Amino acid sequence: MAQKSISCGVSQMPVVGLGTWQSKKGEVGAAVEHALRNGYRHIDCAMVYQNEEEIGETFKKVFSEGIVKREDVFITSKLWNTYKRAEDVPKACAKTLKDLQLDYLDLYLIHWPVMFKPGENLFPTDADGKFIYDEQNPSFKETWNALEKLVDEGKVKNIGLSNFNKDQIAEVLEFARVKPASLQVESHPQLPNLELLDICKKNDIAFVAYSPLGNPGSVFRRPEQKNLLEDDDVKKIAAKHKKSAGQILIRYQVDKGNVVIPKSVTPSRIDENLDVFGFSLDETDMGVLNNLYKKIGPKGFRTCAVAHWGTHPNYPFKDEL
């Protein structure tokens, strides 16, 4: 099946990738191997997912066996909150490259705009369970300049942002020598993020949607929030196109010109999520999905709000608290 790609900095990013967030050890390696054997050419990783070593073993296997070539796979990872100081950025990248058994990343993102106390503990907390932030609170510019050096050294091809709001994106654009190639954020019909999408299109930033199905298993979901896979409007569009509700939600992102990274460790679901290129949604379908968030409220609902970081000065969703 033919994969589509969009521009992402100096590279081309396949528009459907496999997400690995919450994919458990003992399962994620097999999921990545199945995906690469069956047409996927984009794998999304992160240090904080704590499964990069297992994914690295899979990369070593599939590349050494010639199942796919390294240069044909777009691989993303992310800089975690405890590594934002200039001297710590290369350490984090080196660990990720070692764990993934790679010489370079296609894309390296700042995972969140917040900064935690540096150290091996990825989630540092005090005796009361409150997160310990980095007292130095390094600027975006300090972190970004360190990422730019990784590009200069050939360790990453592109750099970008994740979970940044519009003002934070604008700040980075003002000083960046290497422009952000991508923005990865939660996006689905209950949180279409149309304003951020417009900013990305105006600045040639690839928009990558995570949790495209609305994260139905999230503990942060409101009691009244309906599962997108069971939404009547989504189901009607699915019946119209003879596709599953999940395929409609993934195609929704593709038809907006976005990249989308649904996650799964189930082979049949992994295959289904990629089988979205034989049809497209029409203007009526897109209008329904773009306005579906209004069933919840004026701003829709974000399932990955990490509101427990809300006291950090760089918390990106303050207007939603």
Side-chain angles (χ1 to χ4, degrees):
M1 106 193 22
Q3 255 274 39
K4 294 182 179 179
S5 298
I6 67 170
S7 294
C8 177
V10 300
S11 306
Q12 290 291 308
M13 178 191 284
V15 298
V16 178
L18 179 70
T20 59
W21 178 41
Q22 297 180 323
S23 295
K24 298 177 182 177
K25 294 178 181 179
E27 298 178 341
V28 68
V32 170
E33 180 174 350
H34 179 86
L36 292 174
R37 285 182 178 274
N38 290 276
Y40 281 78
R41 295 297 180 264
H42 177 184
I43 307 295
D44 183 83
C45 312
M47 173 190 284
V48 77
Y49 301 165
Q50 301 180 63
N51 56 16
E52 287 192 326
E53 287 188 64
E54 184 172 328
I55 295 171
E57 288 297 322
T58 295
F59 285 156
K60 179 182 179 181
K61 176 182 179 181
V62 297
F63 296 149
S64 64
E65 293 181 2
I67 296 170
V68 290
K69 296 179 180 179
R70 166 64 186 97
E71 59 267 29
D72 292 335
V73 182
F74 191 100
I75 300 172
T76 299
S77 189
K78 307 177 190 76
L79 177 74
W80 184 238
N81 303 345
T82 50
Y83 291 88
K84 298 297 184 64
R85 298 181 186 180
E87 65 270 23
D88 292 331
V89 171
K91 298 175 187 176
C93 185
K95 174 172 172 49
T96 278
L97 289 173
K98 179 182 178 182
D99 288 348
L100 292 176
Q101 302 192 43
L102 301 174
D103 295 323
Y104 68 91
L105 294 169
D106 296 277
L107 178 63
Y108 199 34
L109 304 174
I110 299 178
H111 205 153
W112 288 89
V114 302
M115 291 81 169
F116 292 167
K117 176 184 176 182
E120 294 185 3
N121 185 353
L122 298 179
F123 298 97
T125 56
D126 62 19
D128 296 322
K130 295 180 180 180
F131 280 91
I132 305 174
Y133 302 136
D134 187 344
E135 59 185 13
Q136 291 187 17
N137 200 35
S139 66
F140 294 154
K141 189 175 190 298
E142 177 181 337
T143 304
W144 193 258
N145 287 165
L147 287 173
E148 291 175 328
K149 290 181 180 178
L150 296 177
V151 176
D152 296 338
E153 294 167 357
K155 294 178 181 177
V156 302
K157 289 190 173 183
N158 304 282
I159 51 180
L161 307 170
S162 179
N163 299 302
F164 275 52
N165 64 34
K166 62 181 181 179
D167 294 329
Q168 293 167 336
I169 296 167
E171 181 180 340
V172 174
L173 286 171
E174 283 189 1
F175 58 70
R177 172 172 59 86
V178 178
K179 299 296 183 183
S182 177
L183 174 70
Q184 185 176 130
V185 292
E186 179 179 347
S187 181
H188 45 75
Q190 289 175 338
L191 186 77
N193 257 323
L194 299 178
E195 185 177 19
L196 280 182
L197 176 58
D198 185 57
I199 291 170
C200 285
K201 288 186 180 299
K202 289 178 179 177
N203 290 281
D204 295 321
I205 298 172
F207 184 104
V208 180
Y210 72 74
S211 297
L213 309 186
N215 207 355
S218 173
V219 297
F220 301 112
R221 294 179 66 82
R222 294 176 180 175
E224 71 274 18
Q225 185 182 5
K226 191 166 185 177
N227 186 333
L228 269 174
L229 298 174
E230 299 173 358
D231 182 89
D232 289 341
D233 288 324
V234 174
K235 290 166 68 174
K236 287 177 183 177
I237 296 172
K240 171 182 171 180
H241 293 278
K242 299 181 180 179
K243 293 291 182 180
S244 71
Q247 287 172 312
I248 295 302
L249 296 171
I250 293 169
R251 184 69 207 193
Y252 169 66
Q253 299 294 339
V254 173
D255 281 335
K256 289 199 294 183
N258 300 342
V259 173
V260 56
I261 47 171
K263 61 182 184 291
S264 180
V265 295
T266 305
S268 60
R269 187 64 52 78
I270 292 171
D271 294 343
E272 179 182 289
N273 289 345
L274 188 63
D275 185 19
V276 294
F277 296 106
F279 74 104
S280 60
L281 303 179
D282 59 34
E283 187 175 342
T284 300
D285 299 332
M286 295 298 287
V288 170
L289 295 174
N290 278 337
N291 287 282
L292 193 146
Y293 73 94
K294 295 177 182 177
K295 294 181 181 180
I296 299 174
K299 294 184 178 180
F301 184 69
R302 183 184 306 277
T303 59
C304 193
V306 290
H308 44 293
W309 302 345
T311 56
H312 192 281
N314 294 341
Y315 179 73
F317 315 129
K318 290 185 183 295
D319 63 339
E320 298 175 13
L321 291 177

